[in-house]
Amino acid sequence: MRSTSSKPARAGALAAALFVLATACTTTSSGSSGGDGKHVTYWSMWTQTEPQAKVLQKAIDAFTAKTGIHVDVQWQGRKVLDKVAPALLSGNAPDLVDQGFDRLLPALAANGKAQDLSSVLAMDTGEGRKVGEVLPAKFLDVLPKGKDGTPWMIPYESVSVSLFYNGKDPLVARAPKTWDDLLAVCKAAKAAGKACIGTDGDQGWASQYWFDYLLNRNGGSVATLAADRTGAAFKDPAVLRSAQQVEQLVKEGYLAKGYDATKYPEQQNHWAHGESVFFLMGSWLPSETEKFRDAGFEVRSVAFPTTGDATRNAADFLPFGFTIPKGARNADSAGRFIAFFLQKDQLAGISTEARNIAPRTEIPAPAELADVAQQLKDRPSRLPDDNADADWQDKVLVAQYDKLWLGKADAAGFVDQAAKASADYWTAKG
């Protein structure tokens, strides 16, 4: 699904997601277990009709049959964490919750409200292997520790941002590995009268993936920009170079015609009809565009190109997973369920039924996401935007970047205005 970030600009884009979204909140059972170790209260981000919920329910049934521990699951939907905070205050916290990393971190982990899951990582999945052994170390290591310096999340689904294209498009005889490769395809596409890059102008958070990746490839970091209260970090040459590369795409006319006046999902649907070559988006894109793709469209993707240093080639990793809140009365039993779900036979449903990428890399991904899964497996992992402050991103970076992407500012102007906006933002924060 699209990022679950609490950022207003991103939240508005969640209406259509990688998964079939339901709007109702359906509860199969409720109540607190009273800490008897025989029950687990689980509040989930999924709604009951979604494929992830069905995969989890199968695992819940199998877990109860095997252990006798009953899982009281409530399919709360995307706003599940809004209900966890008051539950923590009232002493009625659930034993287990799940959500995207970018929501769980500020809601629980950063505030010291998530339990240390070191013991869960040491649990046997039932296959003679520990949870911490079946999950790649690089996925766990890239996640920041909680307030107390301990692990707090166990991923069960992987999302990444990749450059998607039609494998049958003759313009992409060879997937671009470098920035120059990409520009060569764009030049050929323009000559053929075809848009090179699809993008919806109202999705600033998504078009900003271009700058985020470019800055990473050029040796910079969005987190460094966000942390500098003076705005001077924007004067890093890597920032200007990245902005100039974005400006080149705009000035050369490589973006889809009329993109600056379109609204999601118009341009990504045009991409599905073959009207543009590339679309940089999260791994929910194939599902969102499935019913719009032309017959014979072969969904492929390539990692974001390098810009010089070939070792700067990390893939974005945005996991969905479990957290046990502090105050959970049946934390041990909740941990046992996590370990059970991380078994290969259980977790495989994330791929086969939910049509997504499981973090256990030996589980084959759906065909349309096989390239993305390989990128996650082969490359170093990084968090999108280097896990920079979310509010700063919306109010400073995306707000200023929009002007560059929409052709209303040049690269130098973006750098100057973003530096000033960042300094003003932190001054106002005090």
Side-chain angles (χ1 to χ4, degrees):
M1 64 176 294
R2 287 181 176 256
S3 169
T4 57
S5 170
S6 58
K7 303 175 186 180
R10 301 190 182 194
L14 297 180
L18 175 59
F19 324 115
V20 180
L21 297 186
T23 56
C25 175
T26 307
T27 300
T28 60
S29 57
S30 61
S32 172
S33 66
D36 59 9
K38 298 179 181 179
H39 295 76
V40 173
T41 302
Y42 169 26
W43 292 2
S44 178
M45 68 170 286
W46 308 111
T47 53
Q48 193 174 27
T49 58
E50 292 183 272
Q52 279 82 353
K54 295 176 181 178
V55 172
L56 284 158
Q57 187 64 63
K58 287 182 181 179
I60 287 168
D61 295 341
F63 176 71
T64 299
K66 183 176 179 64
T67 66
I69 298 172
H70 185 71
V71 179
D72 300 313
V73 58
Q74 297 185 26
W75 305 111
Q76 298 275 9
R78 300 303 181 267
K79 295 185 178 181
V80 59
L81 296 179
D82 293 345
K83 302 178 182 180
V84 173
L88 286 167
L89 291 174
S90 66
N92 292 308
D95 301 309
L96 184 66
V97 296
D98 60 8
Q99 244 287 7
F101 156 82
D102 55 340
R103 290 293 306 276
L104 286 169
L105 177 63
L108 295 175
N111 301 319
K113 297 177 181 177
Q115 290 205 20
D116 177 1
L117 298 187
S118 297
S119 61
V120 180
L121 288 169
M123 286 184 177
D124 193 319
T125 63
E127 306 160 297
R129 298 177 67 192
K130 298 176 182 178
V131 171
E133 293 172 341
V134 301
L135 294 173
K138 65 179 180 180
F139 289 169
L140 298 173
D141 292 346
V142 76
L143 298 176
K145 297 296 189 286
K147 189 176 182 180
D148 56 0
T150 59
W152 53 272
M153 179 184 186
I154 307 295
Y156 64 71
E157 184 169 294
S158 302
V159 171
S160 188
V161 176
S162 187
L163 196 60
F164 286 91
Y165 65 96
N166 180 1
K168 298 293 181 64
D169 191 332
L171 290 168
V172 196
R174 182 171 63 90
K177 294 183 178 181
T178 69
W179 186 250
D180 287 342
D181 290 343
L182 176 67
L183 294 180
V185 176
C186 285
K187 184 177 180 180
K190 183 177 180 180
K194 183 174 181 177
C196 183
I197 296 166
T199 176
D200 281 302
D202 68 332
Q203 302 292 289
W205 64 270
S207 61
Q208 199 272 131
Y209 285 142
W210 285 90
F211 178 76
D212 174 41
Y213 260 132
L214 281 167
L215 186 59
N216 171 265
R217 300 310 195 235
N218 289 326
S221 163
V222 172
T224 298
L225 301 181
D228 177 21
R229 290 175 171 259
T230 70
F234 274 94
K235 301 304 181 178
D236 181 344
V239 177
L240 178 59
R241 183 185 180 196
S242 303
Q244 288 172 333
Q245 288 168 317
V246 170
E247 182 182 12
Q248 183 177 13
L249 298 179
V250 176
K251 285 194 171 182
E252 292 292 338
Y254 292 155
L255 306 186
K257 186 177 180 180
Y259 76 97
D260 54 340
T262 61
K263 296 182 178 181
Y264 162 83
E266 185 174 344
Q267 288 294 346
Q268 71 174 38
N269 291 344
H270 288 334
W271 169 80
H273 284 305
E275 296 176 30
S276 59
V277 181
F278 297 112
F279 211 99
L280 183 67
M281 188 54 76
S283 47
W284 55 79
L285 182 68
S287 180
E288 285 194 357
T289 58
E290 184 174 13
K291 64 182 180 180
F292 300 101
R293 293 199 298 268
D294 291 340
F297 193 110
E298 179 187 348
V299 177
R300 298 295 305 273
S301 75
V302 62
F304 195 90
T306 57
T307 61
D309 184 348
T311 65
R312 294 189 176 278
N313 64 350
D316 279 1
F317 174 63
L318 176 61
F320 290 77
F322 297 114
T323 294
I324 299 176
K326 281 192 174 176
R329 298 172 182 175
N330 295 288
D332 183 67
S333 295
R336 290 179 64 186
F337 173 71
I338 293 174
F340 181 84
F341 189 61
L342 266 289
Q343 290 180 21
K344 184 177 179 181
D345 288 348
Q346 300 297 331
L347 196 60
I350 292 296
S351 173
T352 58
E353 297 180 50
R355 309 299 297 168
N356 270 276
I357 303 171
R360 286 187 61 158
T361 54
E362 74 270 33
I363 296 175
E368 64 271 21
L369 293 177
D371 289 340
V372 181
Q374 196 66 41
Q375 292 157 30
L376 284 168
K377 183 177 181 179
D378 293 345
R379 294 165 179 266
S381 296
R382 67 180 294 262
L383 297 173
D385 297 303
D386 306 298
N387 195 37
D389 181 85
D391 187 62
W392 176 91
Q393 283 191 62
D394 278 337
K395 294 178 180 177
V396 177
L397 183 58
V398 173
Q400 298 304 319
Y401 177 80
D402 263 352
K403 301 172 187 176
L404 177 64
W405 190 249
L406 298 177
K408 298 177 180 179
D410 61 14
F414 161 74
V415 170
D416 290 341
Q417 290 303 309
K420 181 180 184 303
S422 188
D424 290 345
Y425 172 88
W426 288 117
T427 298
K429 283 281 186 178

